[in-house]
Amino acid sequence: MTAHKSGPAIFGSLAALVAAGPILAVAWVAISAPWGDYLIHLMHTRLTGYVLNTIIVTSTAMLLAGIIGTATGWMIARLDFAGRGIFAWALALPLAVPAYVAAYGWLDLTQSAGPLQTPLREAGLPALAHLLPVIRGPFGAGFVFAITLYPYVYLIARQAFAEQHPDMQNAARTLGASRWRTLTGVTLPLVRPALAAGLALVAMESIADFGAVSHLGAPTLTVGVVRAWAGAGSVPDAARLAVVLAFFAYLAFALERQSRARARFGQTSGGYRQLQRLRLSSWQSGVAAIFCGIPILLGLAIPLGRLLYLALTEPTARGVMDGLTNSLGLASITAILAAVLGLGAAYAIRSGTPLGVLSARLASLGYAAPGAVAAVGALVLFAALQTVMDGIWGGRFPVLLSATAGALVFAYLSRFAAVAIAPCEAALTQVTHRLDEAAKTLGAPSRRILTEIHWPLILGGVGIAALMVFVEVMKELPATMILRPFNTDTLAVIAHNYAADERLGQAALPSLIIVLATIPAMILAARSLTRGADR
Amino acid sequence: MSQPILSVRAAEKALGGCPILKGVDLDLYCGQISAILGPSGAGKSTLLRAIAGLERLDAGQINSREYLWNNENQFTPAEKRRVGVVFQDYALFPHLTVEKNIAFGLKDSESKDTAQDRVRELIEQAEIGAQAKSYPHELSGGEQQRVALARALAPRPDIVLLDEPFSSLDRRLRADLRTQTMSAIRDAGAAALIVTHDADEAFETADTLFLMEDGRIIQSGSPTDVYTHPVSITAARLLGDINIVSGTANSSVLDTILGRISVPDCLDGTKLKLLVRPEALVPSEVGAEFIIDDIRIRQGRQRLRAIAADATIWIAELPLARTIKKGETLRLALDESSISVLPA
């Protein structure tokens, strides 16, 4: 193997190591460490609840997000109505709202002391106030995940609907099928694999969340892992819960991968033809616009509006500036490192060597590991490293774990390097081997091929990759809760701590800043992801 | 003929354990256009890539003038060979304008001014002046092809390789571009090698034709020669339809339904195959009788399916001038100058 080919494979292996390391460490500790009392106690008491909550929260989220995402995706792809162009991208915006932020807003609005119930009660209608639903518990959490995560389904569904060859419908119609039968018999079955892929993403995010479920009182397995570490201080117990958690996450991940592979059969072959969108009359347009507006109201406008009101009326929280600095710093460092790893892994895939491809594919597994699992894994690995280093240096080696952000960045990377691989890989597909060869036959040495052909072509994709990781780190909560160095709170942690103390007014500002920092990146990433789908 | 500018000797190459080139010999001469014709999978593109320096041979040799490019121990990489290549999908750099694509190969070899002059000259020659500042995706297929050729010719290579350069263009455009491309290559004075699976294209472009099948060159020579005197049935079929008659020679004569063909007497008693191109069947008062079963018009000529008295089916090609009806009886004879006799 020449140096030219082994270089990418090394990067790929590194990415695979970073991604797979924590999970393997978790599994190893779960098996080898002695069983603690806490876990035995837990199995008798809370474990069933954790598992049950995980299942209820996830299935509620998948069901609702599936309905919202499929319906809006179909409308944007197939119908033409007033405001369609704006809704096309606005429908993706709720993805910029972390589920825990939406949870703060919704619970504050609907709780018994909130602005909806209080007036009714004061007006002497407590029975009516009692009828209003309160967004809490596993079903409330499922609702919050649905309205913030449905864009995953929407974006994939929209693309699948738009790319379907119009002759599919035409063939069904000429065979005598009604509009309804065409929709249910041809159009929907063809996009089903794509929908499943989107739903799997919803499931993965719901399973991995910590902030929303802990705020809404629906403790899932992720909450269990964080409590085992933060409350009981037991790494082996946290690891054992993490294994159960990882099982659910990988179940969803497997579904996603399988669905993506199967989604190919729904794709068009042969010539692409512009799909004719069905033009709606003016009143139909109004109905469509209202329908598309509802998810944006629920996921973005209402919770953020409530938080904005709170931020303006309540005293400002302390430490927000420090939190912002910490968040920006951690997000930037992780984004740059992840982009480098992602690009390396993408080159490994491109090199086509078995080791390179395998390791890059392994690295993409990291995304399935919930933050809590990655964090516990990083704990184990860094503790082991500390022991080894102390042995070599005689106990005077600097403390790795609690004093530096190293473990935290490592955990971020193990989870989000995979996020960076996909855009880098997509960018690299533009750089065909044929282009390399053309440049070579024109006398260009490798260095010139890299700087003048590769770099300009992949720069955009690498930028998107870094941006996506940046956004993820800004929002991240469970891994940060477990691994943050002493006195280093991020915006997400500050918001969570205030919200946990029922001080929503103070939680509002950091929450809003997270959303503000996320939205521009969101729009960019969403546009690049669906480029060409919305012509 | 002068010294070849490129010679390939006993070239062998396997890809993924599967032998692709099985001992290929080939020479290219300055100012000559050669074509490799063969079915897909014959190894044409691999041979071209080996010449360009994009693949390394497992065995054999490639020499250019006095330089050794490739043998068991030595390999000159593509960037050191300066062979111009027009790729099948053109491989234009998507982030560079037409101008910059063409200038890409000129960077270190020439000064900035001469490079600019050269680019301008090529843009003019290729008639793409209006698109000089455009990006490849804004060009039509034909324009992309012209840019790809201009880019390959820019560094004035001695050898130009073209891999199915017209395959992604529609028929009419293809003919026009072919003429243009060939004259540009002739003006450049380079040795050109075109890979194609289209017999008409090979005839129209090449001075020398190489027929390739299953990793070997099975015949080479001038297009006319190769067409009328194929050395094997496979070679014959690569270039178009062929009628095949078997028989045994006796006293220097092979008896066929179309009459007697004289053959060298050394072939007496051996089984022979007679290869007859559709054009070699000509109407004649003394010919054998055929019943015309089907008539198709093809490129200004008519192609007949004719059934002989012994029920064998023949394909004949005649000028359109003569009106023939289906079911008609027609007398056809052999034009002996364009038939081949091969041992069976």
Side-chain angles (χ1 to χ4, degrees):
Chain A
M1 208 190 281
T2 59
H4 183 67
K5 289 215 164 165
S6 62
I10 290 169
F11 256 104
S13 312
L14 193 63
L17 221 61
V18 171
I23 299 158
L24 295 178
V26 163
W28 179 72
V29 169
I31 294 165
S32 64
W35 286 69
D37 290 342
Y38 178 71
L39 194 74
I40 292 163
H41 167 72
L42 198 67
M43 283 170 72
H44 291 304
T45 54
R46 287 220 182 107
L47 187 62
T48 329
Y50 289 156
V51 172
L52 218 58
N53 275 339
T54 306
I55 292 171
I56 295 173
V57 166
T58 311
S59 20
T60 311
M62 286 170 79
L63 180 70
L64 289 178
I67 294 170
I68 302 173
T70 311
T72 51
W74 180 81
M75 288 169 78
I76 297 296
R78 294 295 173 83
L79 304 180
D80 196 2
F81 53 92
R84 183 194 156 276
I86 295 167
F87 283 120
W89 59 266
L91 274 165
L93 284 182
L95 208 51
V97 182
Y100 54 84
V101 170
Y104 302 156
W106 273 105
L107 180 56
D108 187 60
L109 267 177
T110 58
Q111 65 183 341
S112 55
L116 295 181
Q117 293 208 14
T118 311
L120 286 176
R121 208 169 281 120
E122 282 169 357
L125 296 164
L128 197 59
H130 201 69
L131 276 178
L132 285 177
V134 182
I135 302 297
R136 67 149 48 103
F139 290 103
F143 167 78
V144 166
F145 287 131
I147 56 170
T148 51
L149 298 174
Y150 79 85
Y152 282 125
V153 184
Y154 158 70
L155 288 170
I156 295 180
R158 182 180 99 185
Q159 188 157 9
F161 281 125
E163 280 178 356
Q164 214 171 72
H165 202 287
D167 281 350
M168 292 285 177
Q169 275 77 241
N170 297 342
R173 301 290 296 283
T174 58
L175 293 167
S178 64
R179 266 181 201 283
W180 179 247
R181 224 195 112 204
T182 306
L183 180 69
T184 55
V186 176
T187 310
L188 280 178
L190 278 174
V191 297
R192 201 162 45 202
L195 294 180
L199 285 174
L201 286 173
V202 172
M204 281 159 68
E205 294 275 342
S206 309
I207 292 167
D209 175 85
F210 169 73
V213 283
S214 69
H215 188 71
L216 297 179
T220 57
L221 281 162
T222 299
V223 178
V225 174
V226 177
R227 279 185 190 160
W229 160 245
S234 163
V235 173
D237 289 337
R240 284 192 187 103
L241 280 174
V243 168
V244 184
L245 174 57
F247 166 76
F248 280 99
Y250 278 102
L251 212 60
F253 183 70
L255 170 70
E256 198 258 358
R257 281 299 136 121
Q258 200 204 0
S259 310
R260 268 197 205 275
R262 281 186 51 214
R264 286 200 197 106
F265 87 82
Q267 275 173 6
T268 59
S269 57
Y272 177 88
R273 247 184 56 215
Q274 180 72 46
L275 201 100
Q276 206 61 43
R277 288 196 194 97
L278 187 67
R279 212 163 186 15
L280 296 187
S281 69
S282 57
W283 72 266
Q284 286 170 325
S285 262
V287 173
I290 290 172
F291 194 93
C292 286
I294 288 174
I296 302 170
L297 273 179
L298 294 181
L300 189 86
I302 292 176
L304 289 192
R306 179 62 187 165
L307 289 181
L308 189 64
Y309 170 79
L310 288 175
L312 293 175
T313 51
E314 307 254 339
T316 310
R318 256 181 278 160
V320 171
M321 272 319 287
D322 287 345
L324 181 61
T325 316
N326 290 337
S327 282
L328 289 179
L330 282 169
S332 310
I333 292 169
T334 311
I336 292 166
L337 290 177
V340 171
L341 272 185
L343 188 59
Y347 266 108
I349 294 170
R350 183 180 191 261
S351 76
T353 58
L355 176 68
V357 175
L358 179 72
S359 56
R361 293 290 169 226
L362 263 180
S364 67
L365 284 179
Y367 182 62
V373 177
V376 173
L379 272 179
V380 174
L381 286 177
F382 273 69
L385 187 65
Q386 183 82 56
T387 314
V388 171
M389 285 310 196
D390 285 351
I392 296 169
W393 289 67
R396 275 175 302 173
F397 196 76
V399 184
L400 288 170
L401 198 57
S402 50
T404 70
L408 183 55
V409 171
F410 179 81
Y412 285 153
L413 278 180
S414 96
R415 184 153 151 69
F416 300 131
V419 174
I421 295 177
C424 290
E425 201 188 339
L428 258 188
T429 55
Q430 286 185 75
V431 190
T432 60
H433 289 285
R434 203 64 81 224
L435 288 186
D436 284 12
E437 293 177 357
K440 267 189 219 165
T441 62
L442 292 165
S446 313
R447 181 183 36 79
R448 215 185 134 204
I449 295 177
L450 274 182
T451 56
E452 290 184 36
I453 307 288
H454 286 211
W455 190 236
L457 281 171
I458 60 179
L459 195 59
V462 177
I464 297 269
L467 210 57
M468 286 169 77
V469 174
F470 180 89
V471 166
E472 292 289 349
V473 175
M474 287 293 288
K475 297 195 295 190
E476 214 288 335
L477 186 57
T480 321
M481 290 289 291
I482 294 177
L483 289 175
R484 82 205 132 104
F486 189 66
N487 261 346
T488 315
D489 287 345
T490 63
L491 286 176
V493 172
I494 293 173
H496 172 77
N497 286 343
Y498 279 122
D501 290 349
E502 300 287 330
R503 291 167 67 185
L504 255 293
Q506 278 74 29
L509 183 63
S511 301
L512 287 171
I513 297 175
I514 293 172
V515 177
L516 271 182
T518 310
I519 280 183
M522 247 310 299
I523 294 175
L524 255 176
R527 274 169 68 186
S528 85
L529 279 177
T530 58
R531 190 181 299 154
D534 188 43
R535 275 175 288 196
Chain B
M1 209 174 259
S2 57
Q3 280 292 100
I5 188 153
L6 181 100
S7 39
V8 178
R9 289 290 169 268
E12 286 180 31
K13 174 78 190 174
L15 291 174
C18 181
I20 305 290
L21 301 181
K22 303 175 180 172
V24 172
D25 295 322
L26 175 142
D27 286 317
L28 297 181
Y29 296 90
C30 259
Q32 266 214 19
I33 296 176
S34 310
I36 312 180
L37 179 72
S40 37
K44 299 170 306 215
S45 292
T46 307
L47 176 59
L48 189 123
R49 290 168 59 80
I51 297 173
L54 299 169
E55 299 279 0
R56 190 176 180 156
L57 292 180
D58 299 332
Q61 246 190 41
I62 299 176
N63 286 286
S64 176
R65 293 220 179 85
E66 69 273 25
Y67 302 110
L68 174 63
W69 273 358
N70 193 349
N71 68 4
E72 280 80 4
N73 315 312
Q74 218 175 315
F75 178 74
T76 311
E79 59 268 31
K80 297 275 182 337
R81 294 193 189 184
R82 311 310 296 260
V83 169
V85 181
V86 175
F87 289 88
Q88 183 170 5
D89 52 7
Y90 311 137
L92 296 176
F93 304 128
H95 61 301
L96 300 180
T97 59
V98 165
E99 267 179 339
K100 291 195 171 141
N101 261 286
I102 296 176
F104 189 88
L106 294 173
K107 278 229 165 125
D108 29 316
S109 58
E110 290 172 62
S111 80
K112 235 186 172 170
D113 283 346
T114 47
Q116 266 178 9
D117 289 345
R118 178 74 180 139
V119 171
R120 218 168 290 136
E121 181 189 342
L122 283 158
I123 283 178
E124 208 168 294
Q125 199 180 54
E127 295 168 26
I128 40 176
Q131 283 88 13
K133 307 268 182 221
S134 305
Y135 286 90
H137 70 268
E138 299 166 319
L139 305 180
S140 71
E143 287 164 348
Q144 289 184 11
Q145 197 270 350
R146 294 203 294 255
V147 175
L149 179 69
R151 184 179 71 178
L153 292 178
R156 299 182 204 275
D158 294 331
I159 301 165
V160 183
L161 308 174
L162 301 95
D163 189 1
E164 307 263 5
F166 309 106
S167 61
S168 52
L169 304 171
D170 69 59
R171 226 186 145 82
R172 255 195 53 211
L173 188 63
R174 208 185 292 189
D176 289 348
L177 263 177
R178 207 144 58 193
T179 327
Q180 243 189 51
T181 304
M182 291 311 125
S183 73
I185 289 174
R186 283 197 199 286
D187 288 348
L193 181 64
I194 298 180
V195 159
T196 179
H197 64 262
D198 179 343
D200 292 333
E201 190 164 295
F203 286 134
E204 237 170 271
T205 52
D207 306 315
T208 309
L209 198 56
F210 295 92
L211 296 187
M212 195 163 180
E213 162 103 12
D214 193 25
R216 291 188 183 86
I217 304 280
I218 53 174
Q219 191 174 1
S220 64
S222 81
T224 327
D225 210 38
V226 175
Y227 183 74
T228 49
H229 299 293
V231 296
S232 67
I233 293 174
T234 329
R237 287 218 165 109
L238 277 177
L239 294 173
D241 289 333
I242 190 107
N243 298 298
I244 302 166
V245 197
S246 347
T248 310
N250 256 320
S251 27
S252 310
V253 162
L254 179 66
D255 269 314
T256 74
I257 188 133
L258 286 154
R260 308 194 133 180
I261 316 284
S262 48
V263 295
D265 50 10
C266 60
L267 290 175
D268 275 0
T270 53
K271 282 200 153 193
L272 297 176
K273 275 203 188 317
L274 177 67
L275 307 186
V276 183
R277 289 281 178 207
E279 297 84 352
L281 289 170
V282 289
S284 158
E285 289 307 310
V286 295
E289 281 195 346
F290 287 87
I291 296 167
I292 304 307
D293 182 47
D294 191 30
I295 304 163
R296 303 277 144 183
I297 308 299
R298 221 169 82 168
Q299 291 172 355
R301 291 170 70 82
Q302 49 189 337
R303 186 155 278 244
L304 312 176
R305 213 163 87 108
I307 302 175
D310 62 353
T312 51
I313 294 168
W314 293 69
I315 294 170
E317 198 173 286
L318 301 180
L320 260 181
R322 190 189 167 116
T323 320
I324 298 165
K325 285 197 194 75
K326 201 173 154 179
E328 189 178 319
T329 305
L330 198 67
R331 283 182 176 275
L332 296 169
L334 272 183
D335 168 8
E336 276 194 52
S337 67
S338 49
I339 57 175
S340 290
V341 179
L342 303 173

